[in-house]
Amino acid sequence: MTDLATENVDTTSASQTDLADYATNQLQNTTKKSECQVGTVDRRYSLWNFWICGLFLKILLFPDYFSTDFDVHRNWLAITHNLPITEWYFENTSQWTLDYPPFFAYFEWALSQFVPSVVKEDGCLDIVEVGQFGWPTVIFQRMTVIFSEILLYAVLQYYINTTSKDRRTQSFIVATSIVVSPGFLIIDHIHFQYNGFLFAIFIASIVTARNKNYLWCAAFYSIALCFKHIFLYMAPCYFVFLLRAYVLNFENFKFRSYKDLLFLVKWSHLLKLGSIVIGTLAICFSPFIFQMPQVLSRLFPFSRGLTHAYWAPNFWALYSFADKILSIIILRVPYIYTVITRFISSPLIPSSVNEIKERVQEASNNGSKGLVQDVVFTVLPQIPPKVTFFLTVFYQILAVIPVLFDPSFKRFIGSLTLCGLASYLFGWHVHEKAILLVIVPFSFLVVLDRRLLVSFMLVSAAGYVSLFPLLYENADFALKCLYTFVWCVVYFFALRKTTKLSSSVERRVFFMDRLAIIYICLLLPMVLGIQFFDVMKWKYPLFEKFEFLGLMTYSVYCSLGIMGSWIGISWLYNFDEPLWES
């Protein structure tokens, strides 16, 4: 009996050992398969075909309109090529002075080294008040945008390849929606800028954050910031995320005394992170260490007005519109002013109706004349820079607080989107082109839950349509409308099909969804109506008196969509906890 019992025990032990070995082998095989799935190259998800097709389209656009930004960058090529580095931020022969951070100046210098002799003879590298150039310069500068944009394709291809196989289709849709974005086509390849190249570096920081390569995330963000200071708006989100995810250690932390706080910080991680950020900034700005006041005055020109020549569709566009409507109503019905003064008094509003009349007549720029100096409101209170700064910081703080408690990638990218929205809606002298700072990070977020799709549709549709006034010539009307319409149809449908259906879908407000779709559909008749108005100005002189009306309509209507998107994602971000669970 003893031998039999021993034999049974040995058999059982052997069986358990075999089972454990089998389970271990299966786990290892599964891990290897998963590792193989991440990082493999699948031709179905290649962006190469998109680059080739886009290349032909962009070359066809060479003869198209280009903005004054073209001469801006031509002048920067000339400055960095002809002058010593100490004079870059002082040169002011042209009004298009250098006002980007030093890394971008180095980039312009590098491009200037490849300027062919025929392009030099064309006037590309001449420091003059107004550039005089021809086709050789146009072709060269257009090609620099195309080739620098290769970095965007490379970064997004890496993003696709490092995504797990079950999510690779979603990543492919995100990547292609960015590379064929109407924003990059309109702003970079027609209007003329280098946003594709710059956002490639910014996207690299997002991708490395997803892959938990926090040091690379910090490095790429610091580099992006040194190329274009608009990324400074995202600094609070990066600071809190990297601090919480990489520097602070709350595992098994118990507070017994203040000495315990010393063990909360991973000091070696803090040293590495700080060295990368400070080192990058030092490399960027050290050549200008004795010229920092001049450099900073170029980077942050607060002498410009609250709004740009064409109101960016944000909160201040609605504020400016309300001021105009109130001034018209009060001047036509003075009794309205009497009613208002019962609740609000000077200095919040003018002390009399006559003062409103004087402001209307004497204001050098009431927000619609195309100038960029300070904006004067006729009825509503004036807005100083500190008010916009306070509002932007306030809403950004609300966006980064949840990241302190949950430093997941989903929370990080949600916070990044809201930081971009806060800066766009409440910032000082915001350009309409800054909407890319919202749409690009939102593109990485929307695939994580279908409830985010409506907010994404609102901000992308309204944001891209708000760029239409940049291409004001009639020849571009069909191109910008058709291209944006096809993009919206294709990617809104693709995202709806590939994003996961939330288990808590009953919490969605379907009325708001339908309202958003109606709003998006009405964008098309708005654009067609404004175009009809512009075309008929030559026939009806009365229309010329209201030439600003089309731009105002773009600003106000698109503002409503972007504000609605901000309200929707803010609600989900702050109050819908299940959505953010990993």
Side-chain angles (χ1 to χ4, degrees):
M1 289 291 292
T2 302
D3 294 339
L4 182 60
T6 302
E7 184 179 349
N8 289 336
V9 171
D10 293 341
T11 303
T12 303
S13 300
S15 300
Q16 291 176 346
T17 302
D18 292 340
L19 183 60
D21 292 340
Y22 175 78
T24 302
N25 291 332
Q26 289 296 107
L27 180 61
Q28 291 175 349
N29 291 334
T30 303
T31 304
K32 290 179 180 179
K33 288 180 180 179
S34 299
E35 291 174 350
C36 292
Q37 290 175 356
V38 178
T40 57
V41 179
D42 190 333
R43 291 184 179 179
R44 293 177 301 169
Y45 302 111
S46 173
L47 298 178
W48 172 249
N49 292 334
F50 284 84
W51 188 82
I52 293 296
C53 294
L55 175 64
F56 287 111
L57 174 61
K58 292 160 189 173
I59 290 175
L60 290 174
L61 293 174
F62 277 10
D64 204 346
Y65 148 85
F66 53 80
S67 71
T68 53
D69 280 343
F70 187 93
D71 194 37
V72 169
H73 288 280
R74 185 213 58 79
N75 189 53
W76 293 358
L77 285 173
I79 290 173
T80 55
H81 182 80
N82 295 308
L83 299 179
I85 193 171
T86 54
E87 298 181 20
W88 287 0
Y89 285 94
F90 288 91
E91 212 293 320
N92 60 358
T93 301
S94 169
Q95 63 175 316
W96 314 124
T97 54
L98 181 60
D99 58 5
Y100 269 31
F103 271 6
F104 195 87
Y106 305 153
F107 171 70
E108 293 277 9
W109 174 85
L111 292 179
S112 71
Q113 305 307 305
F114 296 94
V115 176
S117 58
V118 64
V119 179
K120 292 180 182 178
E121 295 170 0
D122 188 54
C124 178
L125 297 181
D126 295 342
I127 299 179
V128 291
E129 186 174 357
V130 179
Q132 302 293 329
F133 51 85
W135 261 101
T137 299
V138 172
I139 293 174
F140 173 77
Q141 289 196 229
R142 292 285 197 194
M143 290 302 297
T144 61
V145 175
I146 291 174
F147 282 109
S148 66
E149 197 180 47
I150 292 175
L151 183 63
L152 178 65
Y153 285 80
V155 170
L156 288 170
Q157 188 65 66
Y158 176 78
Y159 164 68
I160 296 170
N161 295 344
T162 55
T163 303
S164 60
K165 195 171 184 180
D166 59 326
R167 289 184 173 272
R168 196 162 293 183
T169 300
Q170 292 179 341
S171 298
F172 180 72
I173 292 172
V174 171
T176 55
S177 73
I178 294 174
V179 296
V180 300
S181 161
F184 288 126
L185 183 75
I186 292 173
I187 299 173
D188 286 5
H189 300 284
I190 302 179
H191 184 79
F192 195 85
Q193 280 189 3
Y194 290 90
N195 287 288
F197 168 74
L198 298 173
F199 272 86
I201 306 171
F202 176 63
I203 291 171
S205 70
I206 294 176
V207 175
T208 49
R210 185 202 62 169
N211 296 341
K212 299 185 178 180
N213 297 325
Y214 300 119
L215 293 179
W216 280 110
C217 173
F220 283 124
Y221 173 69
S222 301
I223 294 171
L225 183 60
C226 291
F227 267 97
K228 191 168 186 177
H229 50 303
I230 194 173
F231 295 118
L232 184 63
Y233 285 124
M234 303 304 200
C237 180
Y238 277 92
F239 174 79
V240 172
F241 172 70
L242 292 172
L243 180 72
R244 180 64 179 85
Y246 186 69
V247 175
L248 300 182
N249 181 20
F250 283 97
E251 292 184 9
N252 302 321
F253 175 76
K254 293 182 180 180
F255 179 79
R256 291 179 293 270
S257 67
Y258 286 104
K259 293 181 179 179
D260 293 330
L261 295 178
L262 296 175
F263 300 99
L264 185 62
V265 179
K266 300 177 183 177
W267 294 102
S268 61
H269 288 192
L270 179 61
L271 181 62
K272 294 176 185 177
L273 192 65
S275 299
I276 288 175
V277 175
I278 295 174
T280 303
L281 295 175
I283 293 171
C284 178
F285 289 98
S286 57
F288 307 94
I289 189 65
F290 299 109
Q291 307 166 16
M292 286 306 294
Q294 175 66 16
V295 174
L296 293 177
S297 68
R298 288 282 184 87
L299 298 183
F300 303 101
F302 284 105
S303 58
R304 296 178 180 178
L306 171 66
T307 57
H308 194 239
Y310 156 55
W311 301 343
N314 58 11
F315 177 79
W316 303 120
L318 297 177
Y319 189 87
S320 301
F321 179 70
D323 181 75
K324 287 187 175 296
I325 296 301
L326 284 173
S327 63
I328 292 172
I329 292 175
I330 289 174
L331 291 178
R332 294 192 176 185
V333 187
Y335 178 73
I336 299 294
Y337 176 82
T338 305
V339 175
I340 295 176
T341 52
R342 293 177 183 176
F343 306 95
I344 305 174
S345 60
S346 181
L348 293 179
I349 62 171
S351 57
S352 66
V353 176
N354 288 331
E355 184 178 347
I356 295 177
K357 292 180 180 179
E358 292 175 0
R359 287 187 181 184
V360 171
Q361 295 172 356
E362 297 177 3
S364 60
N365 179 20
N366 61 10
S368 66
K369 294 181 180 179
L371 304 176
V372 296
Q373 63 256 31
D374 198 14
V375 174
V376 177
F377 296 108
T378 56
V379 177
L380 296 177
Q382 308 306 315
I383 305 297
K386 61 183 179 181
V387 172
T388 65
F389 177 79
F390 171 78
L391 288 173
T392 301
V393 171
F394 174 75
Y395 285 111
Q396 287 191 339
I397 290 174
L398 293 182
V400 301
I401 287 177
V403 181
L404 281 172
F405 301 96
D406 177 23
S408 63
F409 175 72
K410 189 184 290 188
R411 275 290 186 188
F412 165 68
I413 204 69
S415 175
L416 205 60
T417 302
L418 284 172
C419 283
L421 273 166
S423 63
Y424 185 84
L425 290 173
F426 303 106
W428 179 267
H429 195 75
V430 174
H431 289 240
E432 65 282 353
K433 298 181 285 290
I435 194 62
L436 293 177
L437 207 60
V438 178
I439 297 176
V440 169
F442 206 162
S443 301
F444 293 90
L445 177 66
V446 67
V447 293
L448 302 178
D449 197 290
R450 189 179 295 179
R451 280 171 293 167
L452 298 164
L453 183 56
V454 172
S455 292
F456 178 77
M457 291 167 61
L458 276 173
V459 74
S460 55
Y464 286 145
V465 169
S466 72
L467 299 175
F468 284 7
L470 292 175
L471 309 182
Y472 56 86
E473 295 187 352
N474 293 332
D476 292 318
F477 179 74
L479 172 65
K480 64 187 180 184
C481 289
L482 184 61
Y483 191 91
T484 305
F485 176 77
V486 171
W487 186 94
C488 289
V489 171
V490 170
Y491 285 101
F492 291 171
F493 178 79
L495 289 169
R496 185 172 183 82
K497 287 295 182 181
T498 56
T499 51
K500 66 178 182 179
L501 184 64
S502 174
S503 60
S504 55
V505 70
E506 66 272 7
R507 293 201 308 279
R508 292 172 59 191
V509 182
F510 286 96
F511 172 74
M512 301 302 294
D513 291 359
R514 301 299 182 267
L515 196 62
I517 293 173
I518 293 172
Y519 169 89
I520 293 171
C521 291
L522 289 177
L523 283 168
L524 183 59
M526 180 203 73
V527 171
L528 294 175
I530 293 174
Q531 180 65 16
F532 175 79
F533 183 86
D534 289 339
V535 170
M536 298 304 292
K537 282 191 298 187
W538 66 272
K539 189 174 183 180
Y540 301 100
L542 179 64
F543 286 2
E544 295 182 1
K545 297 181 180 180
F546 303 97
E547 60 180 344
F548 67 88
L549 188 61
L551 293 179
M552 181 184 292
T553 304
Y554 269 113
S555 296
V556 173
Y557 192 74
C558 292
S559 297
L560 295 175
I562 296 173
M563 288 288 292
S565 172
W566 174 64
I567 293 171
I569 188 177
S570 296
W571 176 267
L572 293 173
Y573 184 78
N574 292 294
F575 300 107
D576 199 336
E577 295 180 7
L579 188 151
W580 306 99
E581 294 176 355
S582 300

